[in-house]
Amino acid sequence: MRRAIDTLFGRLVVIVIGMLVLSHVAWFAIIRFERDNVQTRFAVEEAVFLVEAVRQHIAKAPDQPLPPRVRLVALNSPDVPKQPDEDTPPPLQRFVEDLKDRLPDGTEVRLNEPGGPPSVWVHGAKDDGWIVVPVQPLRPPRSRDRMLLWLALIFSTAVLAALFGAWQLQYPLRSLAQAVGRFGRGQPTPPVPERGPRELRQLTHGFNQMVREVSQTENDRAVMLAGVAHDLKTPLARLRLRAEMMDDEKLRDGVVRDVDSMAHIVDQFLVFAHDRPDGSEPVPVDEQCERIARAYRAVSPGAQPIRLKLEAGPAFALPAASLDRLLSNLLDNAHAYGAPPVVIETRREASGWVLMVSDHGKGIAPEDLIKASRPFVRLDPARGGSGHSGLGLAIVERLARRAGGECEIGNRAEGGLQVVMTFPFDIATRTLQERRAGSQHEERAL
């Protein structure tokens, strides 16, 4: 099961949102703390200014009336509030302490009783009474603040911008990963646009250059192989004609068998060199497997028995030519190196359609399995001279990948070789028109 966190985009999203949440929470706490400090400092400075203004007023113009809400109260007045106690809220305690620090030493500061207008009572060493001045109300932080709304708006905008940036960053890498997958499956790989950061552009440029060089090498090899194989067909035909005219029957049969073996090798070369998408009409795999098995028994009466276990149904379809070549090579390989019976199976799995061919022989040594599908590799030195070029399994793997599937070569637990080919549902059910349209699009992209 794929998880979003496993992708580069998913991890970038988690990192970006996590960092934005941490930064916004930190900024919110800092702003609220600094707002309280600024409010307290402003209230302290305002109170100090008013107290000093009242003192100047008393010293220079005692007969003039005081401003509204500013008054002088006798020391023994019953209206004088009590000393602040431990139940006083922390902001008010901090306000009183800061105000004492700003006033001369020995100044006594008290706050008005709750319920009345906010004011502060100040009595200095040289004051005849209490100076009462208004102060800014020190409101405690509210649970719902407009700041939260603004932070939520900024956070949402930042997240959207970060997600867009993360998507822009991972999109070129995702395109490159898809191209690497296509190239690894042997499918045509159009050049990947060189976008994104400099390092990613350099990586994409190197990949495109590698694909071009590998494609050119493959094309040169295919052209050379096809040219050699094609040129050999005419001499082989003349050689077979001359062999048929020999008088010695035993010698004639031996030469004809050798010519047929060489002709089979040449045909294998041509099939391996053919690198174009199959343009034949898709046919139901189960029906085609039955026809090929019947034809194989008719042509080779002494061949190994073939068992069919076809459970895919008519929805599983592949190009007729590719399917014929796949089964022919696998049946020839099982007949030459395996043991009866040979089993052809089809089924539907969660990953796609499965076509499997297995036999009951000795199989392939585990250390040689990785080399089994390499072209021109014979795992048994004794295998040669009988029309085998070491291309059978290589052709099977190439045909399976060219049809959009994957090929896995291994040994059965009970003994014998098995070749499992898996085809995705969307590829194994394409019509001929869809396949040709996709092939033409890939050729134009290349």
Side-chain angles (χ1 to χ4, degrees):
M1 179 178 179
R2 294 182 59 185
R3 297 181 300 170
I5 193 64
D6 287 336
T7 63
L8 175 63
F9 180 69
R11 297 193 179 189
L12 286 175
V13 168
V14 171
I15 293 174
V16 167
I17 293 181
M19 295 300 296
L20 286 175
V21 169
L22 290 176
S23 62
H24 278 70
V25 170
W27 274 112
F28 179 71
I30 292 173
I31 290 173
R32 287 185 63 107
F33 178 75
E34 287 298 324
R35 186 188 65 175
D36 295 341
N37 287 341
V38 169
Q39 186 181 29
T40 302
R41 287 197 299 269
F42 182 78
V44 168
E45 294 298 329
E46 184 183 35
V48 171
F49 173 79
L50 291 176
V51 169
E52 293 297 330
V54 171
R55 286 173 177 169
Q56 292 291 331
H57 178 81
I58 295 173
K60 296 180 180 180
D63 298 334
Q64 296 295 327
L66 294 171
R69 295 185 60 190
V70 176
R71 56 196 175 99
L72 296 176
V73 180
L75 292 177
N76 55 358
S77 173
D79 297 333
V80 177
K82 300 177 182 179
Q83 288 278 4
D85 53 18
E86 296 181 354
D87 295 334
T88 304
L92 298 180
Q93 293 180 1
R94 187 168 61 249
F95 169 73
V96 172
E97 296 297 328
D98 293 345
L99 186 56
K100 288 181 179 180
D101 292 339
R102 291 285 286 112
L103 294 173
D105 295 338
T107 303
E108 190 175 355
V109 177
R110 297 184 186 183
L111 297 175
N112 195 24
E113 294 293 339
S119 57
V120 62
W121 297 59
V122 178
H123 173 66
K126 298 179 180 180
D127 296 332
D128 295 333
W130 290 92
I131 301 174
V132 183
V133 295
V135 294
Q136 286 278 355
L138 299 177
R139 298 185 179 91
R142 293 174 294 180
S143 59
R144 294 184 179 180
D145 201 322
R146 283 186 299 178
M147 187 185 304
L148 291 175
L149 178 61
W150 282 106
L151 283 176
L153 181 61
I154 296 173
F155 177 78
S156 302
T157 306
V159 167
L160 292 177
L163 293 180
F164 179 75
W167 182 81
Q168 288 288 338
L169 182 63
Q170 66 87 34
Y171 183 75
L173 192 58
R174 181 182 179 184
S175 301
L176 180 60
Q178 293 174 347
V180 171
R182 290 177 59 86
F183 184 70
R185 293 190 297 270
Q187 298 175 348
T189 306
V192 182
E194 299 177 10
R195 296 177 294 187
R198 181 178 60 185
E199 293 82 359
L200 186 56
R201 294 198 305 270
Q202 292 175 347
L203 177 62
T204 306
H205 178 75
F207 174 77
N208 289 333
Q209 185 176 1
M210 179 189 68
V211 171
R212 286 193 296 270
E213 293 178 357
V214 171
S215 299
Q216 185 62 40
T217 302
E218 288 288 332
N219 291 336
D220 294 343
R221 185 179 67 170
V223 170
M224 180 186 67
L225 194 60
V228 172
H230 183 271
D231 292 343
L232 286 176
K233 292 181 74 69
T234 300
L236 286 175
R238 291 199 301 264
L239 186 59
R240 181 183 178 87
L241 180 60
R242 292 174 181 174
E244 294 289 349
M245 299 174 63
M246 289 182 178
D247 296 332
D248 190 335
E249 182 178 355
K250 184 176 181 180
L251 180 61
R252 182 181 66 239
D253 293 340
V255 173
V256 169
R257 282 196 302 270
D258 290 341
V259 171
D260 290 340
S261 297
M262 287 188 289
H264 179 72
I265 293 175
V266 169
D267 292 337
Q268 293 287 78
F269 283 175
L270 290 174
V271 172
F272 183 77
H274 179 74
D275 198 27
R276 294 181 180 178
D278 190 352
S280 59
E281 185 71 34
V283 295
V285 174
D286 289 0
E287 296 180 6
Q288 192 71 1
C289 288
E290 292 180 354
R291 285 196 292 267
I292 292 176
R294 287 196 301 267
Y296 197 82
R297 296 190 191 102
V299 174
S300 304
Q304 303 173 5
I306 299 176
R307 294 180 182 175
L308 299 177
K309 188 178 179 182
L310 308 177
E311 301 175 352
F316 182 20
L318 288 176
S322 294
L323 184 58
D324 289 346
R325 291 169 183 164
L326 282 171
L327 293 176
S328 298
N329 278 278
L330 290 174
L331 292 176
D332 288 344
N333 188 79
H335 175 69
Y337 309 119
V342 179
V343 182
I344 302 177
E345 299 182 38
T346 62
R347 61 179 180 270
R348 178 191 178 109
E349 293 186 351
S351 57
W353 301 107
V354 175
L355 171 61
M356 184 172 69
V357 178
S358 59
D359 60 60
H360 292 70
K362 296 181 179 179
I364 298 176
E367 61 272 13
D368 292 333
L369 281 175
I370 194 173
K371 300 183 294 183
S373 60
R374 292 179 182 175
F376 308 108
V377 173
R378 294 191 181 95
L379 303 179
D380 186 358
R383 297 177 181 179
S386 59
H388 296 281
S389 58
L391 286 175
L393 294 179
I395 291 175
V396 169
E397 184 177 44
R398 173 169 286 200
L399 289 174
R401 289 187 174 183
R402 193 177 298 154
E406 293 289 339
C407 179
E408 182 179 355
I409 302 172
N411 292 317
R412 299 172 62 252
E414 302 83 359
L417 183 70
Q418 71 175 11
V419 179
V420 181
M421 293 160 285
T422 305
F423 301 90
F425 295 118
D426 59 337
I427 293 178
T429 55
R430 287 182 184 175
T431 62
L432 178 60
Q433 290 76 13
E434 291 174 344
R435 292 175 184 272
R436 288 177 177 174
S439 302
Q440 293 173 0
H441 176 72
E442 291 171 351
E443 290 175 358
R444 286 197 298 269
L446 291 173

